[in-house]
Amino acid sequence: MTDIVNWVNVGPVANIPLQGARTFQTETDRIAIFRTLDDQVYALLDRCPHKDGPLAQGIVHGHFVTCPLHNMVFSLETGEAQGPDDGCAAKVELRVIDGTVHIGLTAEQIGLRHAG
């Protein structure tokens, strides 16, 4: 994502299960925050570009997540579909600071609107 205007603390890394995910709702999007078995943390918009499947409900394996609706596999690092599939789940910028996850949100995601 681009044009980050605010970094939001969404809680400790420990609150995200290994090989699992938690979601965070913004004004415009639901964000899936994933934690891998090797304790890496990534964030993508929580919707598969193919059929809007909830990626947070998918299976995390390695640095990938499999959509629960139709088994499309996405890289957690880039959001890119793997194998013969085409598409990309939008990546969300994320930082881990002292064990706490912070996600970068755009003006639209935090509810700021331009007047006129």
Side-chain angles (χ1 to χ4, degrees), residues 2-3 19 23 28 33 44-45 48 53 69 73 89 92 97 104 108 111 115:
T2 59
D3 300 321
Q19 292 185 291
T23 60
T28 58
I33 303 166
L44 302 173
L45 290 189
C48 172
L69 295 186
V73 177
V92 176
I97 302 169
E108 292 79 20

Side-chain angles (χ1 to χ4, degrees), residues 21-75:
R22 292 288 183 253
T23 60
F24 180 82
Q25 184 66 48
T26 72
E27 286 286 324
T28 58
D29 300 300
R30 188 174 58 242
I31 296 171
I33 303 166
F34 301 93
R35 184 174 171 204
T36 62
L37 190 58
D38 63 352
D39 215 24
Q40 299 298 305
V41 183
Y42 301 97
L44 302 173
L45 290 189
D46 189 29
R47 64 175 177 264
C48 172
H50 179 234
K51 291 195 176 184
D52 290 334
L55 293 177
Q57 294 177 26
I59 296 171
V60 176
H61 48 99
H63 288 208
F64 302 93
V65 63
T66 299
C67 177
L69 295 186
H70 59 285
N71 296 326
M72 197 167 177
V73 177
F74 296 92
S75 166

Side-chain angles (χ1 to χ4, degrees), residues 89-101:
K91 182 178 173 184
V92 176
E93 293 299 321
L94 177 142
R95 297 176 180 166
V96 176
I97 302 169
D98 295 327
T100 303
V101 178

